[in-house]
Amino acid sequence: PGVLTGMFGDAMRDDYFNIRGFSATQFLDGLGLVGSNYANLRIEPYGLESVEVLKGPSATVYGLSAPGGLLNMTSKRPTAVPVRELFITGGSFDRIQGGLDIGGPVGNDGKLFFRLTGLVRNSNTQIQHAHLDRYFIAPSVTWRMGSDTTLTLLSHYQRDDTGNSLMFLPPEGSLLPNPNGRISTRTFHGEPGYDRYTRDQYTVGYAFDHRFNDAWSFQQNLRYADVKSNYPNIFSLGFTLDENGNPIDFRTLDRVAALYKDNAGTFTMDSRVHGKFDTGPVKHNLLMGVDYRHMSGRNRRGFSEDFLFIDAFEPVYGQSFAPPMIDFVRNQNLSQIGLYAQNQMKYDRLLLTLGVRSDWANTRTRDNDMFFDEQTRTRQNDRAFTYRTGLTYLFDNGIAPYASYAESFQPSPGATFDGDPLKPTTGRQYEVGVKYKPVNYNALFSVAAYHLKQRDVLTPDLTPGHTGFFVQTGEVRVRGIETEIKASPIDGLNLIGSYSFADSNVSKSNNPDELGNRLALTPRHQVSAWVDYTFYGGALAGLGLAGGVRHIGLNFGDIINSVKAPSYTLFDAAVRYDMRHLHPRLRGAQLSVNMNNIFDNVYVSTCGDGSCYYGLRRTVFATLRYGW
């Protein structure tokens, strides 16, 4: 509950997550993913062991992060038990995808283990002339240096070679009526042969763990990441207007050609000491550490001088134009160091958590605008002290009420499109709730209510030509309620249900048009449910069936609340079959089919700053998987 994705349809650049009204910070193996403009790490899901969603400010332990919450992804790692898997997937948009995951011990001494995960994908997308190809490989090695010491080397390389599937559609013809009809969800408003997005990324690092004794241990995670992107694209500025500012025919679009070339190199490290001990009747779980990150980014961009025109409904491609020349370069460096400590204390059934953190951040930006022959340098030095506290009581019957308070601090490396440096964002949240895990029953019920505020909040600058940049407003407030149910009432049956209510409000702003408005990409209501059942006996043994529904309430794509995107409801389903029930020789083979938006609902996911975005239509993917 409270997590929103898919806001821009089948976006090819990044994964977008909104938690409790704020863009979620993403972590990989406990270290933050830091990028620059369009040079951001996008993590391949097949290379992951798990994905965790943490609600609310988690800066005390995880470091600089957004107040709404974060995603922590964990890479697949070598295991003592051999892993051997191959798969092939095909389906919608002519997708063909294959992968392998192999690993296990090297030799018989139990000291060295390896794992190799890889994937290749060739696919089109919902948008014509826009493909979505990927090449991914992730080797890792674990060395047990002794009974108490382990070193795991982690790495991956990924190349994304895609077209441009992000269309800036005018509201008239996508969301609102248009005398010429409705723009197709497949329509491409760029230029084939010019629009594309390529990204090359790699990471190298390690996870080190040493136990001093049964109570104390030391862990250190370290990673270097490098990302380079090339993004030539043609974007729409909306309908061509007459001298009175009205569309001339509600079908001719103004377009501008752009070129973005970005790269970012990031070094991150987190070192911590973990200890468990008692002081009389109080049990302590203590964590102390220091984390560090340094990012060096370079952004280059240019735009064409002339407008390009196209028919929004029946586009004709091939209009000649002079490719944009790079005329703006931004170099930026971010350095941050944080000291933190957290103690979880348990006395009888009472659980008290206290955490403190101090951060120092330095950002240096140098802009070189060749078009205006201007050079500017800015430097920001930010410092903040944040803390969190939580209190939980554990009843014998499985009921656990809790209350918590947490703060967040997040420097904002970068600048607005106009070059103004972004201010750090600060947040605070109060939350109360109840969790209930019935005794002798496989279920978990939770209810939470929260009050969250953030100052200098970042919101995407959706002005055509400003994509990848942000604007900031004074202060926003989100109050919400979230409920969730997870249960397995009988063998083979799993149930998941959730509901979230979020009341957002811009409480302070220098722009009077923003005051009192709702926060961008924050629907008031979200509902989801999922049912999964596996047959264990009889003629249907090995068959698994699943189905679910997602309802997303109406939302605004900008903080001006210029255009309201209506609510939408999507239905999903899945079927899988363990093929060993057909014949013993097929042991390890499984066939599955996953279907999203099975009724092919055509919907607008969001609208902002004069542009709308179609959501993803029906997708069907079949996968044959074999493990041995």
Side-chain angles (χ1 to χ4, degrees):
V3 180
L4 180 66
T5 64
M7 296 87 80
F8 307 107
D10 196 8
M12 74 292 176
R13 294 195 310 252
D14 298 300
D15 292 313
Y16 300 94
F17 303 93
N18 238 40
I19 301 179
R20 293 183 174 178
F22 300 92
S23 180
T25 311
Q26 298 181 39
F27 285 72
L28 177 65
D29 300 319
L31 299 173
L33 300 180
V34 184
S36 181
N37 201 29
Y38 294 122
N40 298 294
L41 287 168
R42 190 178 192 185
I43 306 303
E44 166 56 44
Y46 189 61
L48 298 177
E49 196 71 50
S50 64
V51 179
E52 301 169 294
V53 177
L54 282 75
K55 303 290 188 66
S58 301
T60 303
V61 175
Y62 278 87
L64 308 180
S65 56
L70 62 87
L71 273 82
N72 182 41
M73 299 169 278
T74 301
S75 302
K76 288 180 176 177
R77 303 186 181 201
T79 59
V81 178
V83 175
R84 304 183 186 97
E85 180 183 84
L86 299 172
F87 82 89
I88 185 170
T89 297
S92 298
F93 313 128
D94 301 319
R95 173 170 295 195
I96 183 71
Q97 176 174 289
L100 62 85
D101 186 13
I102 57 175
V106 179
N108 299 318
D109 57 3
K111 291 185 177 181
L112 197 63
F113 309 87
F114 84 100
R115 192 159 187 174
L116 179 66
T117 306
L119 175 141
V120 176
R121 180 178 68 222
N122 183 275
S123 178
N124 293 321
T125 67
Q126 179 172 294
I127 305 298
Q128 291 178 325
H129 308 293
H131 55 285
L132 194 65
D133 300 344
R134 172 169 291 177
Y135 309 89
F136 167 82
I137 188 166
S140 58
V141 177
T142 293
W143 177 24
R144 287 184 179 172
M145 307 168 66
S147 59
D148 297 318
T149 307
T150 302
L151 176 66
T152 298
L153 303 179
L154 298 165
S155 66
H156 87 260
Y157 169 78
Q158 180 175 308
R159 177 173 175 80
D160 290 339
D161 184 359
T162 78
N164 182 16
S165 61
L166 187 59
M167 297 293 104
F168 298 93
L169 302 172
E172 300 87 354
S174 57
L175 175 68
L176 304 176
N178 185 304
N180 300 289
R182 186 169 191 174
I183 300 173
S184 169
T185 56
R186 289 183 52 78
T187 300
F188 176 66
H189 289 154
E191 284 292 334
Y194 180 77
D195 286 67
R196 67 184 186 276
Y197 176 81
T198 58
R199 166 176 35 215
D200 286 276
Q201 66 181 50
Y202 71 85
T203 64
V204 290
Y206 65 76
F208 177 79
D209 190 300
H210 175 72
R211 297 189 63 85
F212 299 104
N213 50 48
D214 291 339
W216 292 91
S217 63
F218 171 78
Q219 296 89 33
Q220 184 178 78
N221 294 331
L222 179 148
R223 180 175 65 237
Y224 176 78
D226 184 88
V227 190
K228 293 181 175 64
S229 66
N230 182 35
Y231 185 27
N233 71 101
I234 294 179
F235 56 85
S236 168
L237 298 173
F239 289 124
T240 305
L241 306 178
D242 59 22
E243 61 274 9
N244 297 318
N246 300 313
I248 58 173
D249 56 6
F250 282 100
R251 67 182 306 139
T252 303
L253 292 175
D254 289 343
R255 299 181 302 164
V256 170
L259 175 61
Y260 300 91
K261 290 190 173 186
D262 302 318
N263 62 272
T266 306
F267 176 83
T268 51
M269 182 177 65
D270 183 21
S271 305
R272 59 179 61 180
V273 175
H274 182 208
K276 293 183 178 181
F277 58 93
D278 299 340
T279 55
V282 180
K283 299 180 181 298
H284 297 262
N285 192 340
L286 179 64
L287 191 68
M288 299 181 296
V290 55
D291 61 35
Y292 173 78
R293 70 177 68 179
H294 177 83
M295 187 277 292
S296 179
R298 181 178 175 90
N299 314 130
R300 294 172 290 169
R301 70 171 186 255
F303 300 94
S304 61
E305 297 182 0
D306 301 321
F307 284 135
L308 307 174
F309 304 99
I310 200 168
D311 190 316
F313 296 87
E314 298 179 1
V316 176
Y317 309 112
Q319 183 176 350
S320 62
F321 63 95
M325 301 294 292
I326 297 294
D327 58 14
F328 179 86
V329 179
R330 171 171 294 159
N331 293 281
Q332 189 165 70
N333 290 277
L334 165 68
S335 296
Q336 171 268 327
I337 188 169
L339 301 174
Y340 61 90
Q342 178 177 282
N343 191 7
Q344 189 177 77
M345 295 163 281
K346 185 178 181 181
Y347 174 75
D348 192 20
R349 296 179 177 84
L350 194 64
L351 195 65
L352 174 64
T353 301
L354 297 174
V356 294
R357 181 180 179 89
S358 187
D359 283 295
W360 296 264
N362 175 272
T363 305
R364 290 173 294 165
T365 305
R366 184 176 76 250
D367 289 343
N368 185 6
D369 193 327
M370 285 81 82
F371 185 82
F372 292 102
D373 193 22
E374 294 179 349
Q375 289 189 0
T376 58
R377 296 174 182 263
T378 58
R379 184 164 184 165
Q380 297 168 252
N381 292 297
D382 303 307
R383 181 178 178 179
F385 175 83
T386 55
Y387 70 95
R388 63 179 297 195
T389 181
L391 187 65
T392 304
Y393 191 83
L394 307 172
F395 287 96
D396 290 337
N397 59 5
I399 295 177
Y402 70 90
S404 69
Y405 171 80
E407 298 178 340
S408 67
F409 165 73
Q410 192 176 15
S412 303
T416 65
F417 184 83
D418 297 324
D420 298 325
L422 298 172
K423 302 176 183 178
T425 62
T426 57
R428 57 181 59 185
Q429 175 185 276
Y430 301 89
E431 181 174 339
V432 295
V434 177
K435 296 182 180 182
Y436 175 47
K437 190 179 189 310
V439 180
N440 300 323
Y441 188 74
N442 191 5
L444 177 65
F445 305 87
S446 63
V447 179
Y450 63 90
H451 182 101
L452 176 60
K453 280 188 177 182
Q454 187 187 42
R455 292 182 178 178
D456 297 311
V457 61
L458 292 176
T459 58
D461 188 345
L462 297 180
T463 305
H466 295 193
T467 53
F469 291 88
F470 292 88
V471 294
Q472 292 183 286
T473 191
E475 181 183 83
V476 299
R477 180 266 300 158
V478 184
R479 294 182 297 196
I481 297 174
E482 297 173 350
T483 63
E484 188 171 12
I485 301 172
K486 298 179 181 178
S488 298
I490 60 175
D491 289 342
L493 179 62
N494 294 295
L495 308 174
I496 300 174
S498 70
Y499 166 74
S500 64
F501 169 79
D503 176 28
S504 62
N505 180 273
V506 179
S507 51
K508 294 180 181 179
S509 176
N510 293 327
N511 186 348
D513 293 334
E514 296 177 353
L515 283 174
N517 290 353
R518 287 166 55 176
L519 195 57
L521 306 174
T522 310
R524 284 186 175 174
H525 303 279
Q526 288 181 252
V527 184
S528 66
W530 184 254
V531 179
D532 186 299
Y533 184 73
T534 301
F535 295 88
Y536 288 116
L540 298 179
L543 178 66
L545 302 175
V549 60
R550 293 171 284 147
H551 174 80
I552 309 298
L554 60 89
N555 75 91
F556 297 91
D558 56 32
I559 212 162
I560 299 294
N561 291 183
S562 57
V563 182
K564 178 170 61 178
S567 62
Y568 55 91
T569 303
L570 307 175
F571 294 88
D572 310 313
V575 182
R576 64 186 179 276
Y577 185 66
D578 187 344
M579 299 181 69
R580 66 185 173 91
H581 293 277
L582 287 178
H583 196 282
R585 292 184 177 179
L586 296 177
R587 177 180 296 273
Q590 184 186 74
L591 179 64
S592 61
V593 179
N594 291 272
M595 298 161 282
N596 289 339
N597 190 6
I598 58 178
F599 297 115
D600 199 20
N601 181 17
V602 177
Y603 64 99
V604 172
S605 54
T606 193
C607 291
D609 286 340
S611 297
C612 293
Y613 310 89
Y614 281 127
L616 193 60
R617 296 185 60 173
R618 178 171 53 219
T619 60
V620 181
F621 297 117
T623 299
L624 178 61
R625 193 179 307 271
Y626 179 64
W628 72 100

